[in-house]
Amino acid sequence: MLDFKECGTETEKMERSASSLSRIRLRIGYAVTGTSLGLLVLIVFLADEKFRNYHVACWGGFSSLFAMVCLFLHLQHNKDNSKERYIPVLSILLIIGLVTQMGCIVAFFTYIVMAVEQGQDLTTLNCNPCGYYLASIWVFMSWKWAFLTFLYARMYRNIYTVRYGEIID
């Protein structure tokens, strides 16, 4: 007996593939935007005397680093290279993303507690030992990119292990 749900016409397959391609392009654009904004925050909060805040600059650079990792994941998935060599890298990035998420959660609450203890204003930008609320925002952004690194590494690893078999150690 023929199951028509599994067959699908060529146009349906092309539509699914075009939808997948547009999602990858959207993710690549989002990762490029995150990388650019993180680097911009790093430059502005390090170089400009008016906005100098090392906490915000470091977390902006860290956020940019994980946005670049997400960009790398999407670009590698988009290419049709040897996926067998790529699977162990995904496992390592999955662990790195998970550990970084935990560290970012601790840092986020640490910055919030320090800001409350010191009675800082929400709009303080330019003093180096303060501005913890703004630093906590960039810690959250770093957490978001670490979460996306974990999520995409897991998703792509599951796709490749189903398609290419066991994980190669």
Side-chain angles (χ1 to χ4, degrees):
M1 180 141 236
L2 186 61
D3 188 11
F4 291 106
K5 290 181 181 176
E6 290 182 13
C7 291
T9 64
E10 286 298 317
T11 57
E12 288 175 352
K13 290 179 183 176
M14 287 175 55
E15 286 175 4
R16 276 184 269 160
S17 129
S19 170
S20 175
L21 186 60
S22 66
R23 273 187 274 159
I24 290 289
R25 286 181 181 162
L26 201 76
R27 290 175 185 162
I28 288 173
Y30 187 56
V32 167
T33 303
T35 302
S36 303
L37 288 176
L39 288 175
L40 186 65
V41 164
L42 175 70
I43 292 168
V44 166
F45 282 92
L46 274 182
D48 193 1
E49 190 71 34
K50 183 179 176 186
F51 297 114
R52 182 143 309 152
N53 189 332
Y54 297 119
H55 296 279
V56 176
C58 289
W59 284 106
F62 195 65
S63 174
S64 174
L65 178 73
F66 272 93
M68 282 187 238
V69 170
C70 283
L71 179 62
F72 167 77
L73 285 172
H74 299 315
L75 291 175
Q76 286 297 321
H77 177 69
N78 206 19
K79 291 185 343 184
D80 285 331
N81 287 347
S82 173
K83 304 296 184 195
E84 294 87 9
R85 292 182 293 171
Y86 186 49
I87 291 173
V89 172
L90 291 173
S91 298
I92 292 169
L93 289 176
L94 191 137
I95 293 169
I96 289 172
L98 185 65
V99 170
T100 305
Q101 283 182 63
M102 288 187 266
C104 286
I105 289 171
V106 170
F108 178 78
F109 286 113
T110 302
Y111 276 121
I112 295 293
V113 167
M114 287 172 41
V116 169
E117 276 185 359
Q118 294 179 7
Q120 291 183 3
D121 189 21
L122 285 173
T123 58
T124 304
L125 291 177
N126 62 345
C127 71
N128 192 16
C130 53
Y132 292 141
Y133 286 118
L134 188 59
S136 68
I137 290 170
W138 280 98
V139 168
F140 176 76
M141 296 299 284
S142 297
W143 175 85
K144 175 191 71 168
W145 285 112
F147 174 73
L148 289 175
T149 298
F150 170 78
L151 183 74
Y152 293 137
R154 182 173 178 257
M155 180 178 70
Y156 293 147
R157 188 185 69 160
N158 288 343
I159 289 170
Y160 299 149
T161 54
V162 167
R163 192 176 296 164
Y164 297 107
E166 295 286 326
I167 296 177
I168 300 169
D169 290 321

